[in-house]
Amino acid sequence: MSRLSSLLGRPLPRSAAADERLPNVQALPILSSDALSSVAYATEAALGVLILGGSAALGLSVPITLAIIALIAIVVLSYRQAIAAYPNGGGSYVVARDNLGRNVGLVAAAALLIDYTLTAAVSLMAGTQALSSLVPELLPHEVSLSLLLLALVGWANLRGVKEAGRVFAIPTYAFVVMVVLLTLAGLKDLTFHHGWAPDAPPVVQGLEPIGLFLILRAFSSGCSAMTGIEAIANGVKVFKEPAPANARKTLLVMGVLLSAMFLAVSGMGFMYGIAPNPKVTVLAQIGMRVFGENSALLWALQIATLLILVLAANTAFAGFPRLAAMLAEDRCLPRQMSWLGDRLVYQNGIGVLLAFTAVIILICRGDTTVAVNLYALGVFTAFTLSQLGLVRRWARLRGEGWQGRMLMNALGALATFLVLVVIVVSKFDEGAWTVVIAIPLLVAGLARIRRRYRQVYAAIAPAEGMAPLSCPPRTTATGHHCIVWIAGLTMPSFEAVRYACSFADSVTAVMVLEEADEAGLISAEWDRLVGTQTGNLEFKLLDSPFSSLLDPFCDYVEQEEKQHPERTTTVVMPMAIPRDRLDMTLLNQRALNLFRALSTDGSRVFSIVRYYVEEPA
């Protein structure tokens, strides 16, 4: 086994994709860890704003929590309808793209890409804060710890979906159990010892008046509890069949758990007079009051909190690569973002997310304050566009019960839009302006990539009336054979075949199929474009049992060389050369990887055929 296989595990065949689907008990932690873990910091985020109004303002945390729970119920019910409408994955990008147009869909996609990245960073930084609340000596090392945990989560995801589910299930449920124990112990203490009269919080002088604006700011900060709710609607394909029904059940369970845990933490924080402390989290303070300082249960609570916050980043690692792959399939990101790795995960998307998350952790220096204020903005933008898209869908289709469905999603759209406005207005000076600017810039970039792909693919499409290709028998044999890599039935590929036929005795054009059922259509299209009288030109289709499209081609080249050592074999590779060199990131990536793979595997003769793309006038 190679070192890479030892690190990431053996390659999985495509046929194992169905086996990688998860039962509900594993899908819940892998897709809900972000939402459930927000209990650890959502109350603290709201209290961090309320404290600006002085100690008296902290009592508003409970009504704010109840308002957020009502919003959670609306969003959960709305997304259950999204799963029913889109059983293959009803995320905001798909819903907005299909019902509001491709450009609006890109707005939802940009908001989610930003949100996923911030989610990973916030979760990991909050996890280290949970640990430093328990061990204050770790406070100077929070950035290093966050980066280490980021590497571990990325490694676990690169090993594959099922193994990630196994890793994440136990810590997520451990956190839920510890919050339940905390709640039961707190209820016992309040009933038999403390009493139901709330403690007065520490006296803090107000810096701002207790007004509507302060309350709205605290509400928008507390709405960080809602990030990650969409992950289940995005990840329907992760569930075992019947996937839509299982996803709807799991979403409901997640909503109930999130609401109950959020209310319990906010309620105990109010009853015990907890105030924000930069060195000790709110949840840790509650644990100290209920379990006792340095008790075994307090350690268990904080360690469970650390683990779920670390694993909450997995929601981003599950959602970001999948969304990036969908955008790549729609030609809005480079095609390599849609490549499935040997472990049946989108490893390029995971790599990009690792890089951006590390940058955010370094910029924030391990402090979640600024990032928490930002990442709810992206998710509420996606919420709003998704609900608006479903409203339009029900109005257009007018199926059974469409009026009730449309009313439910209209309520969701209105509620999430109002929250979005509140977040933008109340958090604009605290950093929300960066996301407000970043989303349009990202949308413009995605749209430009889509436009360039459209232009380039139109320029390399097979020309009508193209001259037939053939390799007639030669009067004098040269002992030369060419194997042509065919990435697609495009003009660069045909020019490479034409070049090979100009000097070789025989030519084999080889294409590796992404899907086995494409063989008939591709063969028919080849015959239509190239013709059937091709002489010594053979067109060969290869299946790939694994995700790699390069390995079957490399194996075929090696096999041909071994079977025919008497002849010279040349590997011919087409390259589409656009006028804009920046477009090279969009094209030829598989050909470049193939060249590297064949170059390191033996001495071979290569011939690269450059096809210069003619730009439209």
Side-chain angles (χ1 to χ4, degrees):
M1 185 184 293
S2 67
R3 291 182 180 179
L4 187 60
S5 296
S6 300
L7 183 64
L8 301 182
R10 293 183 181 276
L12 295 174
R14 290 175 182 267
S15 59
D19 294 336
E20 289 294 287
R21 290 175 176 262
L22 303 174
N24 292 1
V25 292
Q26 286 188 6
L28 176 65
I30 198 173
L31 294 176
S32 300
S33 54
D34 176 25
L36 296 180
S37 70
S38 65
V39 171
Y41 55 78
T43 299
E44 184 163 12
L47 292 177
V49 176
L50 289 174
I51 196 65
L52 297 175
S55 304
L58 296 179
L60 296 172
S61 62
V62 174
I64 287 174
T65 297
L66 293 174
I68 294 172
I69 288 174
L71 189 60
I72 290 173
I74 293 172
V75 172
V76 165
L77 293 175
S78 297
Y79 269 107
R80 278 171 56 85
Q81 295 196 156
I83 293 171
Y86 289 87
N88 291 323
S92 296
Y93 170 62
V94 175
V95 176
R97 179 195 64 190
D98 293 352
N99 297 285
L100 301 176
R102 291 189 173 274
N103 290 331
V104 177
L106 291 184
V107 175
L112 280 176
L113 289 174
I114 292 172
D115 177 68
Y116 281 135
T117 307
L118 288 170
T119 294
V122 167
S123 298
L124 295 170
M125 291 188 292
T128 59
Q129 289 177 348
L131 183 60
S132 62
S133 296
L134 197 61
V135 186
E137 291 80 7
L138 296 177
L139 279 169
H141 308 290
E142 287 184 338
V143 173
S144 299
L145 286 172
S146 298
L147 294 174
L148 174 61
L149 295 172
L150 172 64
L152 291 174
V153 174
W155 169 77
N157 277 271
L158 287 170
R159 288 191 63 89
V161 174
K162 179 178 286 187
E163 295 194 33
R166 294 193 186 105
V167 170
F168 299 150
I170 294 176
T172 302
Y173 287 129
F175 177 74
V176 173
V177 169
M178 289 310 305
V179 173
V180 170
L181 288 177
L182 180 71
T183 304
L184 294 176
L187 289 174
K188 178 183 176 182
D189 177 62
L190 291 171
T191 302
F192 297 105
H193 302 288
H194 179 280
W196 288 93
D199 290 340
V203 177
V204 177
Q205 183 67 35
L207 300 177
E208 297 183 18
I210 304 176
L212 179 61
F213 189 68
L214 182 69
I215 294 172
L216 290 177
R217 285 172 61 194
F219 173 79
S220 63
S221 293
C223 282
S224 58
M226 298 184 62
T227 58
I229 288 179
E230 191 196 50
I232 291 177
N234 272 337
V236 176
K237 290 183 177 180
V238 170
F239 290 84
K240 285 187 177 294
E241 297 294 346
N246 287 329
R248 284 165 57 88
K249 292 177 184 176
T250 304
L251 179 60
L252 186 60
V253 171
M254 185 270 291
V256 172
L257 280 175
L258 172 60
S259 300
M261 294 163 64
F262 186 28
L263 180 60
V265 172
S266 294
M268 284 188 288
F270 170 70
M271 293 302 298
Y272 289 115
I274 301 297
N277 185 325
K279 294 184 178 180
V280 184
T281 65
V282 165
L283 188 60
Q285 292 183 62
I286 296 172
M288 291 175 185
R289 289 292 301 271
V290 173
F291 294 144
E293 294 189 19
N294 295 320
S295 67
L297 286 176
L298 175 63
W299 275 79
L301 172 66
Q302 290 304 101
I303 291 174
T305 303
L306 163 68
L307 292 177
I308 193 174
L309 282 167
V310 171
L311 301 180
N314 179 72
T315 300
F317 279 90
F320 182 100
R322 190 175 292 112
L323 176 59
M326 286 192 287
L327 288 167
E329 290 170 359
D330 289 343
R331 306 292 194 271
C332 298
L333 280 177
R335 290 301 308 278
Q336 52 266 38
M337 297 299 290
S338 66
W339 294 353
L340 203 62
D342 287 337
R343 297 294 299 172
L344 302 181
V345 294
Y346 298 106
Q347 57 192 24
N348 289 333
I350 292 174
V352 170
L353 181 57
L354 279 169
F356 279 110
T357 303
V359 169
I360 292 174
I361 290 173
L362 291 171
I363 291 175
C364 294
R365 297 183 180 275
D367 186 1
T368 61
T369 304
V370 175
V372 165
N373 289 333
L374 300 184
Y375 84 129
L377 193 155
V379 79
F380 274 93
T381 300
F383 282 165
T384 302
L385 294 178
S386 175
Q387 303 312 306
L388 285 175
L390 288 171
V391 167
R392 185 167 184 182
R393 176 184 175 87
W394 304 132
R396 185 179 71 252
L397 298 180
R398 295 177 179 266
E400 182 180 355
W402 69 274
Q403 292 173 320
R405 294 174 182 271
M406 186 174 70
L407 182 62
M408 181 72 250
N409 288 121
L411 176 61
L414 177 62
T416 54
F417 176 73
L418 291 176
V419 175
L420 176 62
V421 173
V422 168
I423 293 173
V424 172
V425 173
S426 63
K427 300 293 183 181
F428 191 82
D429 291 339
E430 299 178 32
W433 63 270
T434 59
V435 179
V436 173
I437 293 174
I439 289 177
L441 290 177
L442 186 52
V443 169
L446 295 173
R448 185 175 185 272
I449 291 174
R450 183 180 62 191
R451 184 169 58 253
R452 287 299 300 160
Y453 265 128
R454 187 184 301 123
Q455 292 171 347
V456 171
Y457 281 165
I460 65 176
E464 291 297 330
M466 181 182 68
L469 298 177
S470 66
C471 289
R474 297 185 176 277
T475 55
T476 303
T478 62
H480 212 123
H481 177 69
C482 284
I483 301 175
V484 184
W485 160 259
I486 303 292
L489 302 184
T490 60
M491 287 305 297
S493 297
F494 294 138
E495 287 300 312
V497 172
R498 197 184 306 278
Y499 166 78
C501 290
S502 68
F503 69 91
D505 295 336
S506 59
V507 176
T508 304
V510 178
M511 174 182 281
V512 183
L513 297 173
E514 292 192 40
E515 300 292 341
D517 55 8
E518 297 175 345
L521 292 175
I522 292 176
S523 295
E525 185 68 5
W526 171 273
D527 291 342
R528 185 184 72 83
L529 293 169
V530 176
T532 57
Q533 304 299 319
T534 56
N536 290 331
L537 169 61
E538 178 188 9
F539 182 50
K540 192 172 187 62
L541 296 173
L542 302 178
D543 291 328
S544 177
F546 297 95
S547 62
S548 173
L549 301 185
L550 305 184
D551 290 345
F553 184 85
C554 294
D555 293 342
Y556 177 79
V557 171
E558 290 181 4
Q559 180 182 350
E560 288 294 300
E561 289 174 337
K562 290 178 180 178
Q563 289 183 353
H564 302 282
E566 75 283 355
R567 68 188 185 188
T568 301
T569 299
T570 298
V571 178
V572 180
M573 303 173 62
M575 289 278 190
I577 309 298
R579 300 299 179 185
D580 187 348
R581 295 195 178 276
L582 290 177
D583 292 343
M584 290 301 292
T585 58
L586 308 181
L587 299 170
N588 305 316
Q589 295 303 310
R590 270 210 171 97
L592 293 173
N593 290 338
L594 177 63
F595 177 78
R596 296 189 191 101
L598 288 171
S599 298
T600 58
D601 203 30
S603 300
R604 291 191 173 90
V605 179
F606 292 94
S607 184
I608 296 176
V609 178
R610 294 174 174 83
Y611 182 89
Y612 286 88
V613 178
E614 294 294 334
E615 294 291 334

